Amino acid sequence: MKITAQEEYGLRCIMHLARVPFGETVNVRQIAECEGLSTAYVEKLLYLLNRAGLTESVRGAQGGYRLAYPAEQISLRQVLEALGGVLTADNLCNQFSGDREICVHHGGCELHSVWSFVADYLAVVFNRITLKHLADGEARPLVPSFFSRSEQTIPLAGHQPVQTAQTNSEER
Amino acid sequence: MKITAQEEYGLRCIMHLARVPFGETVNVRQIAECEGLSTAYVEKLLYLLNRAGLTESVRGAQGGYRLAYPAEQISLRQVLEALGGVLTADNLCNQFSGDREICVHHGGCELHSVWSFVADYLAVVFNRITLKHLADGEARPLVPSFFSRSEQTIPLAGHQPVQTAQTNSEER
DNA sequence: TGGATACTTGACTTTTTTGTAAGGATTGAG
DNA sequence: CTCAATCCTTACAAAAAAGTCAAGTATCCA
């Protein structure tokens, strides 16, 4: 389980935009310099973000890129999605099917439920974290508070008297 | 953010071992056949698991592989670690440092706290899930129960009582 | 003892991901 | 109008990961 370079660097680029006043543009060269990346690479990353509609570009002299929406309206999930796709459990059994057409565990895959669990959790978390949270550093102090309560809420350890009649989709 | 092929397939291989009575061996060919993988690949994956001490091998005729410990004593985390390393936030800023020696955000990286958050959570979850849970399918019904309670426990949302209302940033 | 079975390991090939290059298109300034 | 600044897009090269191969070594059992 890993974070790809494209996700990490792309996120840094859009964070760079999130840190300037909304509406102001920043050009590729500035971002590349500040983030320690090549201009060619930054261009490519911004191309991906732009294509996803998260940023806008202004061409010509004095041009550059800026966020398409205020930072508090862009979620981490949208950014990661634009940069290479989010982990979704449904695709895993298709993606990793060995040399068969479909997953050998089709219909009774033990792993699917675990990846669902993980992927759904991440989707919720990433949906709620916005670029503004990140820019303001608000994520940091929240980590410990999560852990102090998590001991009672992480499911697998304890019981399972649960009804499954819930839908857990969370869209913006 | 993605799960690597090695993790997915390696996990399936060790799950195969977890499903037979403890102490019994299964040979590579059987696993490869059931899981739809090449024997060469299964050999490599089991080599990794073996090296990490999670499995034992028995050579010679009627030999094969078996778990080194009962399935309830082997965590998902141990398996993933053996198969390619778990996401740890501390290494991310080193791994992705651009063309500089160290991360350009050294000392004030907004992303670090998020990846810490994610990585720490996953570590806890993966530590608690054992191969026995997986083999018994216990993970499945627990997913909804997580979501029913998670709404109160996911930190980033509830922590800020909408203080962004006053900032009337001009619309573009 | 010797052949059959099966694990062991490093090198090799293929595929995917990263990152670079290059030329094109659009805009604004003078 | 012209030109330079800047974005846009595709193609390609380099690096890393995935997966295969093959030549081992160890063990069992007749």
Side-chain angles (χ1 to χ4, degrees):
Chain A
M1 176 156 269
K2 61 204 304 190
I3 292 166
T4 66
Q6 197 158 281
E7 287 169 331
E8 172 74 18
Y9 291 137
L11 185 48
R12 288 191 198 176
C13 287
I14 201 171
M15 280 307 301
H16 196 103
L17 301 181
R19 269 187 249 109
V20 304
F22 182 63
E24 216 167 90
T25 65
V26 183
N27 70 32
V28 166
R29 191 163 33 75
Q30 292 172 291
I31 297 175
E33 213 157 286
C34 288
E35 302 295 329
L37 304 170
S38 74
T39 57
Y41 197 22
V42 171
E43 270 174 355
K44 181 180 178 178
L45 295 170
L46 285 173
Y47 170 62
L48 295 173
L49 294 166
N50 222 36
R51 198 176 54 176
L54 301 180
T55 60
E56 287 177 348
S57 60
V58 179
R59 287 176 138 174
Q62 305 345 303
Y65 288 90
R66 63 183 171 213
L67 297 185
Y69 309 94
E72 57 267 33
Q73 289 176 31
I74 299 178
S75 71
L76 181 52
R77 181 161 200 277
Q78 290 177 290
V79 175
L80 294 178
E81 182 110 45
L83 291 168
V86 171
L87 183 67
T88 75
D90 283 343
N91 296 329
L92 275 173
C93 280
N94 301 327
Q95 183 187 352
F96 298 122
S97 61
D99 56 13
R100 311 286 168 74
E101 277 301 310
I102 59 170
C103 170
V104 294
H105 301 130
H106 186 60
C109 183
E110 319 95 339
L111 300 186
H112 187 271
S113 59
V114 173
W115 299 143
S116 291
F117 171 66
V118 170
D120 287 351
Y121 172 79
L122 292 178
V124 171
V125 172
F126 289 165
N127 254 326
R128 298 207 175 171
I129 298 177
T130 69
L131 296 189
K132 182 159 198 316
H133 289 133
L134 293 178
D136 293 351
E138 284 181 18
R140 190 190 303 273
L142 292 163
V143 176
S145 88
F146 166 73
F147 269 96
S148 63
R149 282 189 286 176
S150 70
E151 294 305 304
Q152 296 110 46
T153 56
I154 290 186
L156 272 165
H159 43 359
Q160 56 263 43
V162 174
Q163 85 280 23
T164 63
Q166 297 212 18
T167 177
N168 46 30
S169 60
E170 169 118 344
E171 294 303 305
R172 287 174 52 92
Chain B
M1 176 156 268
K2 61 204 304 189
I3 292 167
T4 66
Q6 198 159 282
E7 287 170 331
E8 171 74 19
Y9 291 137
L11 185 49
R12 287 191 198 174
C13 287
I14 201 171
M15 281 306 301
H16 196 103
L17 301 181
R19 270 186 247 110
V20 305
F22 181 62
E24 215 167 272
T25 66
V26 183
N27 70 34
V28 167
R29 191 163 31 76
Q30 292 173 290
I31 297 175
E33 212 157 287
C34 289
E35 302 294 329
L37 304 170
S38 73
T39 57
Y41 196 22
V42 171
E43 273 173 353
K44 180 181 180 175
L45 295 170
L46 286 173
Y47 169 62
L48 294 174
L49 293 167
N50 223 34
R51 197 176 53 175
L54 300 180
T55 61
E56 287 177 348
S57 58
V58 178
R59 290 177 133 173
Q62 311 336 310
Y65 287 89
R66 64 184 169 209
L67 296 185
Y69 310 95
E72 58 267 32
Q73 289 175 30
I74 298 178
S75 72
L76 181 52
R77 181 161 199 276
Q78 290 176 288
V79 175
L80 294 178
E81 182 109 46
L83 291 168
V86 171
L87 183 67
T88 75
D90 283 343
N91 297 329
L92 276 174
C93 280
N94 301 329
Q95 184 187 351
F96 298 122
S97 61
D99 57 12
R100 311 288 167 75
E101 278 300 310
I102 59 170
C103 170
V104 294
H105 301 129
H106 186 60
C109 182
E110 319 94 340
L111 301 185
H112 187 271
S113 60
V114 173
W115 298 143
S116 291
F117 172 66
V118 170
D120 287 351
Y121 172 79
L122 292 178
V124 171
V125 172
F126 289 165
N127 254 325
R128 297 205 174 171
I129 299 176
T130 69
L131 296 189
K132 183 160 197 321
H133 289 133
L134 293 179
D136 293 350
E138 284 181 18
R140 192 186 304 271
L142 291 162
V143 176
S145 89
F146 165 74
F147 272 95
S148 64
R149 283 188 286 172
S150 71
E151 294 305 304
Q152 296 107 47
T153 57
I154 289 185
L156 274 164
H159 188 71
Q160 51 174 185
V162 199
Q163 67 216 10
T164 59
Q166 47 90 24
T167 54
N168 274 338
S169 53
E170 81 283 7
E171 308 303 323
R172 8 167 272 92

